[in-house]
């Protein structure tokens, strides 16, 4: 099982819609408030696991996957995944080198002092995005 949890670097592997190029996405959290999110191309069903550098949980329904080449793929889960935004940690298990929209993640519950698998949630498609810093000088 591959585990992605930004807070648990020493214990685990560290990591945290259909539109045309140039379409903007609304920000999901305060972390996105300083950026305009631009969709690049069409969403993909799968990304290569070996190419994932890190992950960032945005909220209960959104995860950004940063790739080794610097690309970012945003996964908007089809439904809210309770506890994901709070725990900011999840695991997944696949039999191939791909992580796909048909795969299931498990929120890692850390509240008991131990790491235990929690809520199981399906992934959505992977939308390549670009984060463009908002110009503060116009405010």
């Amino acid at each position: 099982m591959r585990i992605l949890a930004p807070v648990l670097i020493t214990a685990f592997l560290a990591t945290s819609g259909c539109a045309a190029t140039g379409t903007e996405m609304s920000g999901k959290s305060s972390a996105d408030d300083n950026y305009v999110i631009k969709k690049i191309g069409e969403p993909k069903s799968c990304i290569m696991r070996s190419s994932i550098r890190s992950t960032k949980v945005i909220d209960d329904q959104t995860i950004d996957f940063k790739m080794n080449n610097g690309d970012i793929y945003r996964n908007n889960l089809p439904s809210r995944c309770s506890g994901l935004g709070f725990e900011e940690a999840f695991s997944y298990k696949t039999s191939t080198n791909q992580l796909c929209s048909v795969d299931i993640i498990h929120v890692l519950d850390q509240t008991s002092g131990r790491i235990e698998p929690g809520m199981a949630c399906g992934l959505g498609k992977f939308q390549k995005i670009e984060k463009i810093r908002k110009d503060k000088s116009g405010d």
Side-chain angles (χ1 to χ4, degrees), residues 3 7 9 11 14 17 22 32 34 41 46 52 60 62 64 71-72 80 88 95 104 109 112 128-130:
I3 300 193
V7 197
I9 293 172
D32 280 346
N34 295 326
C46 300
I52 300 170
D60 278 352
T62 311
D64 285 349
D71 290 348
I72 300 172
R80 187 175 163 272
E88 295 183 335
S95 59
I104 304 295
D109 183 350
S112 66
K128 186 176 179 180
I129 63 167
E130 182 179 355

Side-chain angles (χ1 to χ4, degrees), residues 100-115:
C100 298
S101 58
V102 296
D103 289 323
I104 304 295
I105 63 167
H106 290 268
V107 175
L108 293 178
D109 183 350
Q110 305 169 65
T111 56
S112 66
R114 293 189 315 245
I115 299 170

Side-chain angles (χ1 to χ4, degrees), residues 71-102:
D71 290 348
I72 300 172
Y73 285 91
R74 177 159 285 186
N75 193 289
N76 289 309
L77 283 58
S79 57
R80 187 175 163 272
C81 188
S82 182
L84 180 62
F86 176 76
E87 296 291 350
E88 295 183 335
F90 62 92
S91 67
Y92 59 81
K93 184 177 180 179
T94 67
S95 59
T96 67
N97 189 32
Q98 293 189 3
L99 185 61
C100 298
S101 58
V102 296

Side-chain angles (χ1 to χ4, degrees), residues 121-139:
C121 306
L123 289 171
K125 289 200 173 188
F126 297 86
Q127 175 65 59
K128 186 176 179 180
I129 63 167
E130 182 179 355
K131 292 184 176 186
I132 303 168
R133 185 170 288 282
K134 291 180 182 177
D135 183 10
K136 293 287 184 180
S137 62
D139 291 351

